[in-house]
Amino acid sequence: MLGLGVGHSMYSTTHIWRDDLSLYCDGTGDYAAVTTSNIGDYGFNDGTISAWVKGDTFAADGVLVDIISTTENHAIEIFYDDSEEAITFVRTDGDTTSTLTHAITDSNITANWYHIVATWQYSEPGGRGSGFHTLYVNGSNEATNTTALSLGGTVNKFFIGRNATAANTYWDGYINDVALFSGALSAGNVLEVYNAGQPKNEKNTDNLELYFTFDEFVSDSNTIIGSSPNENVITIYNALIKQVTP
């Protein structure tokens, strides 16, 4: 069931920049799934995921984003590891798995918003990216791995707030401004998106393949048309849209 914070009224379907709504998942079955047919010709080998998150009452692991390729066992996943109290970025090509982590305690992630960015690329470092596989938190490069995994295919499944291959590992808390870019953003690009801790409209940013601010929400609908040029569609299952932002 969808809902809004107290006192929030219905508004039109016109896409306007609101910057006051977030997806809220309660950790027990709430998530969102992207219709992947309109992500375009995005290839899986190089990319960037950006999102703002805040936990609620974490008592178990929770997936932020899980992307499955059309090539079997090729995947990208970002999740909060509750036992290790760390944001974790996993990339796998079916044979090799590369994992990056950054410690954020339960008490911190449930009290504060964090900007999480994961970049990956197969080409040699020195181009737009800053390494093969990098995890940024609040604009800072916190971990990099140069394992040159080759991720094939295109996007098959794209889930926000849940494992994409099984109905488990649900996110517990808020998610805001989820973006997928083709190519690995540079450290400078990541700082621009972080914007000193204030989310900004990325709809005209280069190489934007998918973008959901959740401000596009229309009352009494469980689908949202995103703000990227591809106008991606997302379906929300059980989660709420709340008037809470970083």
Side-chain angles (χ1 to χ4, degrees):
M1 181 177 180
L2 296 176
L4 287 172
V6 175
H8 197 90
S9 61
M10 184 183 297
Y11 59 91
S12 75
T13 58
T14 303
H15 286 195
I16 57 175
W17 181 244
R18 299 177 51 84
D19 197 24
D20 64 353
L21 301 179
S22 296
L23 183 72
Y24 174 74
C25 303
D26 69 2
T28 61
D30 300 355
Y31 69 101
V34 178
T35 301
T36 58
S37 59
N38 58 348
I39 293 181
D41 296 327
Y42 169 70
F44 212 68
N45 223 17
D46 303 88
T48 299
I49 288 289
S50 169
W52 293 79
V53 299
K54 180 178 182 290
D56 191 3
T57 56
F58 270 111
D61 295 352
V63 169
L64 169 57
V65 172
D66 196 4
I67 312 173
I68 305 297
S69 172
T70 52
T71 300
E72 186 176 6
N73 296 324
H74 287 214
I76 295 286
E77 185 177 63
I78 308 168
F79 68 96
Y80 184 71
D81 186 326
D82 186 60
S83 62
E84 297 295 328
E85 297 194 20
I87 283 288
T88 304
F89 171 26
V90 178
R91 183 180 58 151
T92 181
D93 66 0
D95 297 316
T96 303
T97 297
S98 179
T99 302
L100 300 176
T101 63
H102 175 66
I104 303 176
T105 64
D106 280 7
S107 59
N108 279 334
I109 200 168
T110 56
N112 304 288
W113 282 91
Y114 286 86
H115 182 226
I116 308 299
V117 174
T119 70
W120 63 96
Q121 62 184 56
Y122 181 67
S123 56
E124 291 290 337
R128 292 182 61 240
S130 58
F132 290 123
H133 181 203
T134 305
L135 176 64
Y136 297 86
V137 178
N138 291 345
S140 177
N141 180 339
E142 297 295 350
T144 297
N145 186 309
T146 56
T147 302
L149 302 185
S150 179
L151 301 182
T154 56
V155 175
N156 181 32
K157 294 181 180 180
F158 192 120
F159 280 34
I160 299 170
R162 198 201 88 174
N163 187 320
T165 57
N168 57 33
T169 325
Y170 294 96
W171 183 262
D172 184 357
Y174 300 91
I175 301 173
N176 186 262
D177 275 35
V178 178
L180 169 69
F181 299 90
S182 58
L185 295 186
S186 69
N189 294 145
V190 172
L191 271 177
E192 290 177 7
V193 177
Y194 176 55
N195 194 37
Q198 295 295 321
K200 61 184 179 64
N201 191 346
E202 302 296 337
K203 65 184 293 185
N204 295 317
T205 303
D206 291 344
N207 303 303
L208 184 65
E209 296 289 341
L210 174 150
Y211 187 37
F212 292 103
T213 67
F214 301 103
D215 302 310
E216 309 97 342
F217 172 70
V218 178
S219 295
D220 300 321
S221 173
N222 70 334
T223 60
I224 292 175
I225 299 175
S227 296
S228 77
N230 293 324
E231 293 193 329
N232 316 96
V233 176
I234 194 170
T235 302
I236 298 173
Y237 297 92
N238 304 313
L240 301 175
I241 300 295
K242 289 195 174 184
Q243 198 171 6
V244 179
T245 52

